[in-house]
Structures are given as structure tokens and as C-alpha cells.
Amino acid sequence: MLRWFQPLFALLSSALVTRGHGCPSSCLCPDQHTVDCTGKGLIRLPDPIPLDVRRLLLSNNWIPWIPSDFLVLYSDLVYLDLRNNSLSRLEPGTLSTSSRLVYLDLGSNNLTEIASGTFGESRSLIKLRLGNNPHLSTVGRDAFLGLTSLRELELERNALSGLDVGVLSQLPSLRTLRLEGNPWVCNCHFAKLFSWLTENQHKLPTGLEGMECSLPVVGRQVTLSVLSEDSFRECRGALSLTDYLIVIFSGISVSVVAIMASFFLASTVHCFQRWSKANKTDEEEADD
Ligand SMILES: *[C@@H]1O[C@H](CO)[C@@H](O)[C@H](O)[C@H]1NC(C)=O
Ligand SMILES: *[C@@H]1O[C@H](CO)[C@@H](O)[C@H](O)[C@H]1NC(C)=O
């Protein structure tokens, strides 16, 4: 219902508000498609923003919230800068509407989580900045699923202690990744991320030297460059629940195959025996 309503609302609003006119008071509109409200002490989104805005600069304000139909309404947005505001959460669906967005800066806010599906299928997005959110400790397994054009991802100086490597391997166009300044813990969960980072060091602007993690038990901080795959060798012995399930199921399928094979073999032998018996009887009959 809402899905249908939102585009309709956008259409109605665009019919009512004259497109391309009106600059929010206290903001600057240097050209027809740019609205610049940088550092204006705003505590909410400015009003009215022209519906055909393409570049919206809102950094260095106190904006705590963006409505979930924001990108439906401003569907021409290519560049959205919300750096250094007070965003603490993103309403589900806010950024998932198919859009033209190429650049999105949500750095230096107070986000705590990037949930799976946050960006939907934002296939145009090339640069996504999420660094300097000091309480950002959770990134969902599919948080960046569908961001097929994303080249630059910034997650530096957040509160991440671990990250599912699937989050990164889902990004086919990734060239630059910033992960430094997080409280990484080099435990067994980190092992897969470590191999990915080792293989993709060239994507890290500060390299493995620029990333630190704390070692479990001893709690000492080390840079990733002093570790090797071998540092995680103890993790290889430990099987996860999935591993156990795979082992059990492959055991079962091996048994099933073995049973079917012996059944097949048994029936072949049986057929052969009957056939040779029949042959023999024929021969005996012929002898008689
Ligand atoms: C963040 O915005 C506030 C409010 O405008 C400003 O005082 C502060 O200097 C900004 N911080 C940075 C790092 O730009
Ligand atoms: C940021 O979020 C944390 C955790 O939700 C909260 O404790 C803190 O007060 C927030 N800080 C600001 C400046 O809003």
C-alpha cells in the first residue's frame, strides 16, 4: 500500500510545488540543481527543497532524522552529503528506493547499525562514506548487497570488532576500502576477514600496516601486517555448526550412494546368475 502511495505522493507534490524554484532560506543555491546548506545550524531538513535537486549539501548541521520517503521525493539526487550531523538511525527503506544516487556521505554521525538491505539496489552508488560513527558496531551480512557499482567504501573509526567477510565479497566493483581505527579483535571469527584483507591489501589505502587488532587472551594491540594466515592456524581445527552439519549430511549421502550401489550390484549379479542358470538349463536340455 505504502509502496504505491509514495510515488503518487511524489507526483502530486511535484505538481503542486513549482519545480526548480525556491531555495530554502539561509541556504545557497549556486545553480539550478544545487542546494548548499553546509554549516547552517539546521536541526531538521530545510524546507522547501526544490524537487529536482541533484546536489544536496547538508554537512555540519544537527539533522537527527531523514524521512523514509526522502529519496522517493528527491529522486533526481545524485550527490547527498549528510556528513557531521546527528543521525542515529536510518528508517528501513530510506535508501533502498532505486535512485540515481552516486555519492552518499553519512560519515561523522551517530549511527549504530547498518542493517541488511539498507541500500537496496542502489546500483548507481559509487562512493559510500560511513566512517567516524563512534557507536557503529553492527554491519548486517547483506548490508551492501546490490551495490554493484560501489567503488569506495569507508567504514573507518567506527566501533567494529568484527565483520562478516561476505559483506565485502558481495561488492564486485570495490577498489578502495577504509577499515582502520576500529577495535578489531583477532579471534577465530576474524580469520576469514584476515585472509580476504591479505588478498585485497591493494584496496586498503593504509595497507595492513594501518590496521590494528587486539589479540584475544593477551589483549595486546598489533598491526595486521605482523600476523599471517598461520597466526589463525588454531582456528582451522575448530569446526563450526555448519561444518558439522555438512560433515553429517555428506556422511548420510555417502551411505545412501553406497546402499544404492550395492543394491544395483546385487541385482546385476542376481540377473546374471538367473541368465547363466537359464543358459545352463538350455544347454542341458540340448544335451538331452
Ligand atoms: C561539525 O559540525 C559542527 C556544527 O556545525 C561544527 O561546529 C564542527 O566544526 C563540525 N566538525 C567538523 C569536523 O567539521
Ligand atoms: C550516540 O549514540 C549513543 C548510543 O546510542 C548514545 O549513547 C549517545 O548519547 C549518542 N550521542 C549523541 C551525541 O547523540
Side-chain angles (χ1 to χ4, degrees), residues 97-288:
T97 38
S98 170
S99 71
R100 302 197 172 94
L101 210 56
V102 167
Y103 178 97
L104 177 61
D105 193 343
L106 297 171
S108 301
N109 275 277
N110 202 19
L111 300 172
T112 56
E113 182 185 2
I114 307 298
S116 284
T118 296
F119 302 99
E121 306 259 302
S122 303
R123 292 184 189 281
S124 315
L125 202 59
I126 290 179
K127 183 158 182 168
L128 177 57
R129 310 185 76 183
L130 292 167
N132 296 292
N133 282 275
H135 299 278
L136 177 50
S137 58
T138 314
V139 174
R141 171 72 167 70
D142 291 333
F144 306 125
L145 188 66
L147 301 186
T148 47
S149 306
L150 195 69
R151 285 200 203 189
E152 290 186 49
L153 175 61
E154 294 186 356
L155 284 166
E156 81 282 7
R157 281 183 278 283
N158 292 327
L160 299 169
S161 59
L163 185 68
D164 192 318
V165 71
V167 167
L168 304 175
S169 50
Q170 282 169 353
L171 295 170
S173 310
L174 193 65
R175 302 254 175 91
T176 308
L177 173 67
R178 294 191 61 183
L179 292 175
E180 73 277 9
N182 281 284
W184 301 110
V185 179
C186 281
N187 55 16
C188 284
H189 294 300
F190 198 82
K192 280 190 184 147
L193 183 60
F194 182 79
S195 353
W196 190 93
L197 291 172
T198 311
E199 279 166 31
N200 293 276
Q201 306 195 28
H202 55 282
K203 295 180 180 165
L204 309 170
T206 57
L208 287 182
E209 304 80 51
M211 269 180 84
E212 289 194 342
C213 70
S214 60
L215 299 175
V217 191
V218 282
R220 199 160 57 88
Q221 289 281 120
V222 295
T223 71
L224 290 195
S225 53
V226 306
L227 302 175
S228 67
E229 301 268 340
D230 228 27
S231 317
F232 296 92
R233 68 179 176 278
E234 277 176 24
C235 300
R236 270 175 240 144
L239 293 182
S240 68
L241 182 62
T242 335
D243 296 332
Y244 278 119
L245 286 176
I246 289 171
V247 168
I248 291 168
F249 276 106
S250 58
I252 291 175
S253 29
V254 165
S255 325
V256 168
V257 168
I259 290 168
M260 280 165 64
S262 30
F263 185 76
F264 176 74
L265 212 66
S267 32
T268 319
V269 169
H270 185 68
C271 275
F272 182 72
Q273 277 176 344
R274 283 179 62 171
W275 175 77
S276 58
K277 217 181 247 171
N279 254 10
K280 236 182 219 158
T281 337
D282 284 354
E283 275 168 29
E284 276 162 15
E285 270 168 15
D287 285 351
D288 290 346

Side-chain angles (χ1 to χ4, degrees), residues 33-35 49-56 74 76-78:
H33 297 292
T34 305
V35 174
I49 305 173
L51 282 161
D52 55 357
V53 64
R54 290 187 198 155
R55 284 166 54 88
L56 183 54
Y74 302 104
D76 287 344
L77 264 183
V78 170

